[in-house]
Amino acid sequence: MKFLKVTPELDYKKIIVSQNDYEGTDPNLLAGMAFEIFLIREFENMLLTLADGGCIHGPVHTSIGQEACAAGAMSVLNPTDKIASTHRAHHHYLAKLIGSYFSAGFNILKDKIPETLTEGVTQLLGEVMGLSVGCCGGRGGSMHLRNKEIGFIGSNAIVAGGVPLATGAAFASKFNKRKEVTVCFLGDGAVHQGAFHEAINLAGIWELPIIYVIENNQYAVGTSVKAAAGMDDLAQKGSAYRCVSRIVDGMDPLAVMLAVNEAKEIIEKVKKPVLIEAKCYRFPHHAGPVSGSNFGYRTKEEEEKWRKKDPYTAYPDKLAEYNLLSDEQIEQIKEKSNGIVQAAVDHCTILEGKNFIVKDGLWPDIKKVEYGLRSEGTEFNDILFREKEDFKTFEEIIYSDAIAAVTGRNMEKDNNVFVLGEEVAHFGGGPYGATKGLFQKYPDRVLNTPISEAGFTGLAGGAAMDGLYPVVEIMFADFTLVAADQLFNQIGKLRHMYGNTTHMPVVVRIRIATGCGYGGQHSMDPVGLYSLFSGWRIIAPSNAFDYVGLFNSAIRSTDPVLLLEHNKLYPQKFDIPAGNLDYFVKMGKANVIRSGSDVTVLSYSSGVKLCAEAAEELVKEGIETEIIDLRTVSPADIDYELIGQSLKKTGAILVVEQASKSLGIGKGIAYECQMRFFDYLDSPTALVNSLDIPPPVSKPLEEECLPGITQVRNMIFRVARRKV
């Protein structure tokens, strides 16, 4: 046996800073970092005071002890560079805000503090306090911050939840050929989350301009790094993903600055992402003012050892020792930072005795609590919506070909539209023909991904926040669950959570494979799952005409849209307007496909044809069925106006869907119809669903699970005859 040396060698190093590095650095830059450290510490101490006094609702995760990471990193970023952060984000936000002033030539020792800087700090304080003056209007609080103007794309309360989004922002920078980097801050706990590994792998594959900074403060809440990781240096993890890796003293702002500056150079020269592990320490417990030693997971001796490296004292002491700043200058900087924080506090509170009270008029308007959940629809102001009767000439097209055709048409019209997913560029048209011919025409915009739904879905979300229009293909609906955090905690919530400061134009296409023999883990209909999250719009076209028109509306929408595609529809042929792929069908508008007077039947996707066939059989028995194709099935978008008009005629309703009852939307629609139209009904609402079991592979067993024409026909008959 012999061993061969593995190549290439890993670029994995530790950075050590000397006195020469300090003396070779611009004094104003050193002073600026001291200013940021002082301001962050004063700001967060004040937050703890306000929280103790009842002025802050919710948790406050401070970065006391970690200020050097933010001050050092932001000192070499440009205003156009972007950052993303965690639930512990005040220091990053403040340093990014202040950094733009220093990059513009601001001198902390000579210049007067700009009013706009004080206003920016006030905006952050207002957000943490949940006030209308906050950067997200009080929606996000301490953990969910966003300020696009300063390049702060968002902080995130889900551990590692923001990593794919930040990777998507870096993707957008490369996609649009912008010379900027994204810095993604994360804690040591995040490196154990799958989202981190999926996202950093994509960054390595696609050579994205991103710097991942692990602020290793030694503990994820109370669990030490030693107990959670089988390695001493978390930076080693970057080596597995084509990243350059660095370890740095996170208590020294100059060390962090030099590491981030080198990382920017690496990105420009060798086109590799960089992972920096900044070893640091937070002095209080996870949240609040109490030391971690009070909870027993670390010792007072350990805390005291780290206190000697506290950047609030150790860094200015070093500047004075090296004769780079005098004690008087350091005090001057400290006074200026404290003055800004006090001005922010004075703007938001009044002091009554020893108690701070929130000023009147600063709370958000409770009448606007739903504002920003979705777009107000202004993106459709210039759109004329059409229906099939508006056209005269048609051509026949296969459903799956219509998907590829309308996707390609939108890619042709807008260079910001791109497609990503597993195998979308293979097999001449993806795994089931829905991207036919697109890779050949747009090789840089039809992107195969690894099997990492959370990573590429989250990347799409981050890219959408930065102005791109991703079309994500999730191969099977069940795989939604693998990406659940990114789809629901992130993409579905961020517009509202960030106070309507971001659009989220993500289109997710999902194949429903019931009836194909794929078994219980590839056959889910996810309509009910997505309907639980009110930020999502859900459309389920039953024919190619509707698919084209609704896809155009989905891609124009600034909200996330789920497009359900049933496998049964893929090979079927339908009519679409001849030579026209540019028309729009309105989301939220249902369609009567068959008029009748005895019973109203609601369905969507492949269920519509099933209902039409059953209704046709019942004509000979004198039953006239009115069938409504819902088309849009997100709860807030159900066309109850049209349903109500139908029920005035029929007095009875049946909902037919191929989803199981627990995963369907039928029971919710039935409840709403009963509440809204009780006076019209002379029969109980009725449902037809699949059985509530994972579909078996065996063909006869699977067929028994799914609603068939006999079951639908019999139920229509019973409802029409009022025998439910």
Side-chain angles (χ1 to χ4, degrees):
M1 179 177 67
K2 65 178 181 178
F3 296 96
L4 296 177
K5 187 176 182 181
V6 176
T7 57
E9 292 186 2
L10 304 179
D11 194 346
Y12 162 52
K13 301 172 185 174
K14 186 173 184 178
I15 294 175
I16 303 295
V17 173
S18 68
Q19 181 174 340
N20 289 337
D21 293 308
Y22 270 84
E23 292 173 345
T25 302
D26 180 0
N28 188 49
L29 194 57
L30 296 172
M33 290 191 289
F35 171 66
E36 292 176 9
I37 290 170
F38 294 152
L39 191 146
I40 293 166
R41 181 67 62 90
E42 180 66 16
F43 181 87
E44 293 201 311
N45 279 333
M46 183 55 71
L47 288 185
L48 294 175
T49 299
L50 293 171
D52 185 58
C55 289
I56 295 177
H57 184 60
V60 177
H61 301 90
T62 66
S63 59
I64 293 172
Q66 298 179 213
E67 299 90 347
C69 295
M74 253 57 80
S75 63
V76 289
L77 295 187
N78 298 318
T80 55
D81 293 330
K82 296 166 289 190
I83 70 167
S85 186
T86 70
H87 58 279
R88 197 180 308 281
H90 311 138
H91 57 321
H92 302 138
Y93 186 106
L94 289 169
K96 188 67 167 72
L97 169 70
I98 298 166
S100 62
Y101 290 90
F102 284 104
S103 66
F106 175 67
N107 188 308
I108 186 58
L109 292 171
K110 298 178 181 178
D111 298 336
K112 182 180 178 182
I113 299 293
E115 289 185 11
T116 51
L117 175 52
T118 303
E119 291 169 0
V121 176
T122 302
Q123 203 177 25
L124 175 59
L125 179 62
E127 186 58 40
V128 177
M129 294 177 67
L131 306 180
S132 59
V133 295
C135 56
C136 299
R139 292 274 179 77
S142 175
M143 296 190 290
H144 317 103
L145 307 170
R146 174 175 165 83
N147 189 330
K148 184 179 180 181
E149 285 68 35
I150 67 171
F152 192 93
I153 62 178
S155 63
N156 208 286
I158 304 296
V159 173
V163 179
L165 297 167
T167 307
F171 176 89
S173 296
K174 181 176 181 179
F175 188 94
N176 287 317
K177 298 180 173 60
R178 297 194 299 255
K179 287 188 174 295
E180 60 193 24
V181 300
T182 298
V183 180
C184 176
F185 291 93
L186 58 146
D188 48 272
V191 303
H192 309 302
Q193 285 277 21
F196 163 75
H197 293 274
E198 292 187 26
I200 195 172
N201 183 48
L202 289 172
I205 293 169
W206 292 339
E207 298 181 337
L208 301 183
I210 187 166
I211 305 167
Y212 299 98
V213 179
I214 304 170
E215 289 187 335
N216 180 359
N217 63 20
Q218 313 305 310
Y219 293 92
V221 188
T223 301
S224 70
V225 173
K226 290 183 179 180
M231 57 184 64
D232 293 330
D233 298 325
L234 300 179
Q236 293 179 53
K237 293 181 181 288
S239 301
Y241 302 112
R242 302 183 188 175
C243 284
V244 173
S245 297
R246 295 289 183 264
I247 302 169
V248 69
D249 181 359
M251 307 297 273
D252 185 336
L254 183 61
V256 178
M257 184 200 85
L258 294 174
V260 173
N261 192 58
E262 186 209 12
K264 291 183 67 175
E265 293 174 353
I266 289 168
I267 287 171
E268 178 150 359
K269 292 177 181 176
V270 301
K271 312 299 181 188
K272 287 187 176 182
V274 180
L275 177 67
I276 298 172
E277 179 188 0
K279 294 182 184 290
C280 57
Y281 203 78
R282 59 166 165 79
F283 295 119
H285 178 54
H286 179 61
V290 180
S291 296
S293 57
N294 288 34
F295 296 89
Y297 62 83
R298 63 192 194 196
T299 66
K300 291 184 180 297
E301 290 75 18
E302 178 186 298
E303 290 173 343
E304 189 57 35
K305 178 182 177 181
W306 279 94
R307 281 282 181 190
K308 295 175 182 178
K309 300 184 67 176
D310 184 353
Y312 186 80
T313 53
Y315 177 64
D317 287 350
K318 193 174 291 186
L319 295 179
E321 178 188 348
Y322 296 160
N323 295 316
L324 298 169
L325 284 179
S326 66
D327 290 339
E328 291 76 16
Q329 288 173 318
I330 290 170
E331 285 304 311
Q332 179 187 349
I333 294 170
K334 193 175 293 186
E335 288 176 12
K336 284 188 174 183
S337 66
N338 293 352
I340 292 175
V341 174
Q342 188 59 54
V345 173
D346 291 344
H347 183 90
C348 296
T349 68
I350 55 175
L351 192 60
E352 292 186 357
K354 294 183 179 181
N355 299 318
F356 287 99
I357 307 295
V358 176
K359 281 185 178 179
D360 291 337
L362 292 185
W363 293 111
D365 183 353
I366 59 174
K367 295 178 181 178
K368 296 183 178 180
V369 65
E370 293 181 335
Y371 171 71
L373 178 63
R374 290 176 164 189
S375 161
E376 296 177 346
T378 55
E379 64 267 37
F380 295 107
N381 283 350
D382 61 341
I383 296 300
L384 175 65
F385 294 106
R386 312 291 292 276
E387 293 293 345
K388 197 169 184 179
E389 55 266 26
D390 296 323
F391 299 92
K392 294 181 179 179
T393 59
F394 296 88
E395 59 184 332
E396 199 172 57
I397 191 170
I398 295 172
Y399 192 92
S400 59
D401 288 347
I403 298 172
V406 71
T407 305
R409 176 61 178 146
N410 278 276
M411 296 178 77
E412 178 185 354
K413 291 190 295 183
D414 190 340
N415 290 331
N416 287 321
V417 177
F418 70 101
V419 176
L420 74 166
E422 295 158 9
E423 311 293 354
V424 292
H426 287 162
F427 314 127
Y432 36 89
T435 53
K436 185 185 295 183
L438 298 184
F439 176 72
Q440 290 74 15
K441 195 170 183 180
Y442 306 104
D444 296 330
R445 291 161 58 198
V446 179
L447 307 175
N448 278 334
T449 67
I451 300 175
S452 53
E453 284 82 3
F456 67 73
T457 302
L459 181 145
M465 293 171 71
D466 205 8
L468 301 186
Y469 292 89
V471 178
V472 180
E473 182 179 291
I474 296 181
M475 192 181 293
F476 289 93
D478 309 68
F479 302 171
T480 285
L481 298 174
V482 183
D485 175 58
Q486 293 302 314
L487 289 166
F488 305 130
N489 268 330
Q490 311 300 338
I491 293 171
K493 293 181 180 179
L494 291 184
R495 178 198 279 274
H496 184 262
M497 193 173 73
Y498 288 150
N500 203 32
T501 63
T502 183
H503 295 316
M504 191 58 77
V506 178
V507 174
V508 173
R509 294 180 37 251
I510 288 184
R511 174 196 192 193
I512 299 172
T514 51
C516 298
Y518 278 103
Q521 293 180 333
H522 284 66
S523 304
M524 182 175 75
D525 185 327
V527 60
L529 177 62
Y530 280 80
S531 71
L532 295 174
F533 298 88
S534 49
W536 279 92
R537 298 185 188 272
I538 309 170
I539 51 183
S542 66
N543 58 77
F545 174 89
D546 287 346
Y547 192 100
V548 171
L550 287 168
F551 184 95
N552 287 331
S553 292
I555 208 76
R556 171 66 71 98
S557 175
T558 59
D559 293 323
V561 180
L562 173 69
L563 255 167
L564 295 177
E565 304 165 5
H566 202 288
N567 185 79
K568 286 185 178 180
L569 296 172
Y570 281 143
Q572 295 182 28
K573 293 181 178 181
F574 300 93
D575 287 338
I576 65 171
N580 186 350
L581 292 168
D582 294 329
Y583 61 92
F584 289 78
V585 171
K586 187 175 183 178
M587 292 190 290
K589 188 174 185 296
N591 188 31
V592 177
I593 66 164
R594 179 189 178 95
S595 295
S597 56
D598 296 317
V599 58
T600 298
V601 176
L602 310 180
S603 195
Y604 57 91
S605 188
S606 62
V608 173
K609 183 179 180 182
L610 184 65
C611 294
E613 291 172 350
E616 190 64 30
E617 289 188 6
L618 289 167
V619 171
K620 59 189 175 186
E621 301 193 40
I623 294 175
E624 291 298 332
T625 306
E626 180 143 300
I627 299 176
I628 296 178
D629 183 351
L630 293 172
R631 300 197 293 195
T632 309
V633 292
S634 31
D637 300 309
I638 299 291
D639 191 350
Y640 286 108
E641 181 179 355
L642 184 64
I643 295 171
Q645 293 170 6
S646 179
L647 284 176
K648 283 183 181 180
K649 293 189 300 178
T650 67
I653 189 168
L654 167 67
V655 185
V656 176
E657 56 183 340
Q658 294 201 330
S660 63
K661 185 178 292 187
S662 60
L663 277 173
I665 57 171
K667 57 186 182 294
I669 294 174
Y671 170 80
E672 282 290 330
C673 288
Q674 182 171 303
M675 296 299 292
R676 292 169 183 254
F677 310 121
F678 185 78
D679 290 342
Y680 303 158
L681 294 172
D682 51 26
S683 174
T685 56
L687 300 174
V688 171
N689 293 90
S690 295
L691 295 182
D692 252 340
I693 62 173
V697 171
S698 170
K699 188 172 183 178
L701 291 180
E702 184 176 33
E703 288 177 351
E704 181 64 20
C705 289
L706 304 176
I709 190 168
T710 300
Q711 182 183 0
V712 173
R713 179 193 179 282
N714 291 344
M715 186 58 77
I716 293 176
F717 180 88
R718 290 176 61 194
V719 175
R721 294 288 189 253
R722 309 309 192 249
K723 294 182 178 180
V724 179

